[in-house]
Amino acid sequence: MIFNIKGLTKRYNRVILDQAALSMESGNVYCLLGRNGAGKTTLMKILSGTVPYEEGQISTSNDHSQKTQIYYVPEHPIFLEYLTGYEHLDMHAKINGYKLKKAELDNFVEQMGIASFCNDFIFQYSHGMKHQLALAMAFLITPPVLLLDEPLVSLDPINIYDMKQRLIDYARKDHIVLVSTHMIPIAQQIGDHILVLSNGEITQVKNDFSEKDLEQFVLSLLSALPQQNTD
């Protein structure tokens, strides 16, 4: 699949996206970087179909609707506090038409590394545990396009290590993964392409950088003008 954005414009009290463009292709991880308030979360919400935009085109190379192809995991996922993680996964599978046997769901929970807390109620979860569950729910239904807003920020070092490889492996199975992050080392390690959102425009480059060179490249683009917080 090829996912194209052309001339995307979004305004609030100022221009957030100004004729922004990018192109994403299955098999790749794309890492989106930008200053606080640059519009990264707004862009994710527009791509997921939850926020409207004023101008531009969003298109894919197949005939399915945008909403059926894209799954968005926000930075602060919301759950039903008095259900367990396991019940969320079971309900999520059924809503999306997956008929999983209990043994299959149990195996999935083990693979995702959430078995130790999956049967606890959500109100007992830390922020990191909620993020692990949200990511598991995304992988459960295997969307062609996976949008992740700061997916690693609340995870512990072991889970960060595991999730980085999981995201790469998922993309290689003919999916598109778009990760918004403030962590340049993470972007350098997992991104096939780097997207830098600054002053309403997206700069897209192939990731052939060392960590130091990527840091210098990103900072040079982001240091042009200060931006207000609107994410």
Side-chain angles (χ1 to χ4, degrees):
M1 178 201 295
I2 298 175
F3 192 99
N4 286 316
I5 299 164
K6 296 180 180 178
L8 194 64
T9 299
K10 177 64 181 177
R11 303 177 183 89
Y12 287 118
N13 60 334
R14 64 181 179 87
V15 176
I16 305 301
L17 298 170
D18 185 12
Q19 298 292 307
L22 67 90
S23 180
M24 299 185 291
E25 187 171 353
S26 296
N28 292 281
V29 177
Y30 297 80
C31 287
L32 175 65
L33 297 124
R35 298 185 65 177
N36 291 333
K40 301 183 300 298
T41 295
T42 297
L43 175 61
M44 291 262 187
K45 289 180 177 179
I46 288 173
L47 298 183
S48 69
T50 58
V51 167
Y53 54 95
E54 281 78 46
E55 301 172 19
Q57 296 180 333
I58 300 175
S59 61
T60 63
S61 59
N62 57 36
D63 297 328
H64 298 292
S65 71
Q66 180 183 345
K67 287 187 176 181
T68 61
Q69 298 179 88
I70 297 172
Y71 190 87
Y72 170 54
V73 179
E75 183 177 359
H76 301 287
I78 298 173
F79 301 99
L80 299 173
E81 293 290 303
Y82 287 91
L83 291 182
T84 67
Y86 193 95
E87 288 169 332
H88 275 84
L89 287 166
D90 185 50
M91 179 174 60
H92 189 55
K94 290 174 180 175
I95 288 173
N96 286 278
Y98 286 71
K99 297 181 179 179
L100 297 179
K101 297 178 181 178
K102 185 178 184 302
E104 293 175 314
L105 189 55
D106 289 345
N107 184 55
F108 176 79
V109 167
E110 289 286 346
Q111 289 178 350
M112 291 301 302
I114 60 175
S116 63
F117 58 84
C118 199
N119 288 306
D120 295 338
F121 292 113
I122 297 297
F123 73 81
Q124 299 172 287
Y125 282 27
S126 67
H127 184 50
M129 291 159 71
K130 288 181 179 180
H131 240 125
Q132 285 181 261
L133 176 60
L135 292 167
M137 290 172 68
F139 288 124
L140 181 65
I141 62 171
T142 60
V145 182
L146 182 56
L147 310 179
L148 305 174
D149 198 349
E150 295 288 353
L152 305 178
V153 69
S154 62
L155 301 185
D156 61 60
I158 295 297
N159 280 308
I160 289 175
Y161 178 84
D162 291 342
M163 189 55 65
K164 287 190 298 184
Q165 190 57 53
R166 197 180 297 275
L167 293 176
I168 294 170
D169 291 344
Y170 187 80
R172 298 297 183 263
K173 295 175 182 177
D174 206 29
H175 300 119
I176 293 170
V177 176
L178 173 60
V179 176
S180 172
T181 180
H182 287 297
M183 297 182 282
I184 292 176
I186 295 293
Q188 190 273 332
Q189 292 162 14
I190 70 172
D192 298 294
H193 298 263
I194 303 297
L195 311 174
V196 182
L197 177 56
S198 180
N199 301 312
E201 299 180 352
I202 298 172
T203 300
Q204 178 173 356
V205 293
K206 184 175 176 59
N207 182 18
D208 291 325
F209 298 94
S210 67
E211 184 179 320
K212 182 177 180 180
D213 288 343
L214 179 60
E215 180 179 58
Q216 292 175 343
F217 174 75
V218 171
L219 292 179
S220 70
L221 291 174
L222 299 185
S223 61
L225 289 172
Q227 302 193 30
Q228 300 173 4
N229 192 352
T230 58
D231 271 359

